[in-house]
Amino acid sequence: MQIRIINPNTTRGMTDTIGAAAHRVAAPGTRITATQPAHGPVSIESHFDEAISAVGVLEEVMAGERDGMDAYIIACFGDPGLLAARELTRAPVIGIAEAAFHMATLISTRFSVVTTLGRTGIIAEHLLEQYGFRHHCRRVRAAEIPVLDLEDDADAALSRIIDESRRARDEDGIGAIVLGCGGMADLTDEIGEAVGLPVVEGVTAAVKLSEALVGLGLGTSKYGDLAFPRPKSFTGEFKRFSNLQPVR
Ligand code: 5HY
């Protein structure tokens, strides 16, 4: 099977980190393609960044449909464009926040999230509510690091994430930590060893969930709100989206 894992920001180093983490856990028969949009924010740290990045995510799914992908992963902890992406395909589309929340509740009754900037914590809180995990999560914490520090100042970023994860362990009454950024995909083992709690990371969780869904012959339902978008005209620079037709 083929999984297209989409880093919604446009930082190639983070896309490579995400792709490498996905390859590490992929089953022998799973081929991973890690991509990023041709245009968009270099990092996603606000509602505005999320909104802009969603267009690129959708274009990557459209490209994946032409390439015959079996599943898609949106590798940003805000799951940007998730439901819109599901409208475009019969394949499973999984967001890394959604995947991490599901996995964390299978191994603990309470978890906390450790993300990058405190200002984006509300995005994770909205998703917890939307996906029905609000009562499982004790707190959404932030290491207060810019997303790209994960690439540009990795040692200092890791140290801050570990410190915040230890505070979560000691204060929140939890059984697991959820890492709240696609750029943390390569830090699971180091954080787990330093903190002494199970660490759930969304990229790798989404790879295994994608394999499970495809293996069960399950994909995005086309009945109801996730049916293909109604064809219509788009104007201006979005003219290319006019009268979209399903590829398969
Ligand atoms: C992410 N931003 O996973 C989110 C994380 C965040 O560029 N990739 C980004 O901190 O909201």
Side-chain angles (χ1 to χ4, degrees):
M1 67 172 281
Q2 296 189 74
I3 301 176
R4 191 178 193 106
I5 188 161
I6 303 162
N7 170 21
N9 75 40
T10 55
T11 296
R12 173 57 61 189
M14 194 162 287
T15 304
D16 293 345
T17 297
I18 290 165
H23 275 104
R24 271 196 297 278
V25 299
T30 299
R31 205 174 91 205
I32 301 281
T33 305
T35 66
Q36 62 191 51
H39 39 244
V42 294
S43 64
I44 298 165
E45 301 172 317
S46 66
H47 301 295
F48 177 83
D49 297 347
E50 286 256 343
I52 298 295
S53 73
V55 177
V57 167
L58 298 176
E59 290 181 311
E60 286 302 310
V61 171
M62 290 176 196
E65 286 299 278
R66 293 191 291 272
D67 297 344
M69 288 296 136
D70 296 302
Y72 300 89
I73 294 171
I74 299 175
C76 167
F77 207 73
D79 296 352
L82 179 62
L83 292 180
R86 285 178 176 164
E87 288 183 351
L88 295 176
T89 179
R90 296 180 187 280
V93 184
I94 300 180
I96 64 171
E98 182 184 44
F101 297 158
H102 277 283
M103 285 294 194
T105 58
L106 296 177
I107 62 166
S108 66
T109 55
R110 292 285 183 274
F111 62 84
S112 284
V113 175
V114 177
T115 188
T116 52
L117 291 174
R119 68 169 292 170
T120 61
I122 189 69
I123 296 172
E125 288 177 26
H126 285 167
L127 293 180
L128 286 161
E129 198 66 48
Q130 180 181 331
Y131 299 150
F133 293 109
R134 176 71 268 178
H135 63 287
H136 287 281
C137 181
R138 294 303 289 263
R139 188 169 168 188
V140 177
R141 292 173 171 266
E144 288 309 344
I145 52 173
V147 168
L148 294 187
D149 273 12
L150 291 163
E151 294 291 312
D152 304 334
D153 193 5
D155 291 344
L158 175 60
S159 173
R160 293 181 68 96
I161 295 165
I162 288 173
D163 289 347
E164 193 61 31
S165 299
R166 284 175 173 152
R167 280 190 282 273
R169 176 198 63 196
D170 298 340
E171 301 169 11
D172 296 352
I174 56 175
I177 295 280
V178 167
L179 298 183
C181 179
M184 298 179 186
D186 58 342
L187 303 179
T188 309
D189 294 345
E190 288 170 283
I191 295 168
E193 284 156 24
V195 178
L197 279 182
V199 173
V200 179
E201 187 283 317
V203 167
T204 48
V207 169
K208 304 316 283 185
L209 287 174
S210 298
E211 289 174 342
L213 287 169
V214 172
L216 291 170
L218 294 172
T220 299
S221 172
K222 305 321 287 176
Y223 297 90
D225 65 306
L226 297 181
F228 291 106
R230 293 179 65 246
K232 65 184 65 179
S233 297
F234 286 72
T235 59
E237 68 170 282
F238 287 161
K239 201 174 183 70
R240 63 188 183 278
F241 298 142
S242 292
N243 301 312
L244 285 179
Q245 292 299 329
V247 172
R248 49 186 172 153

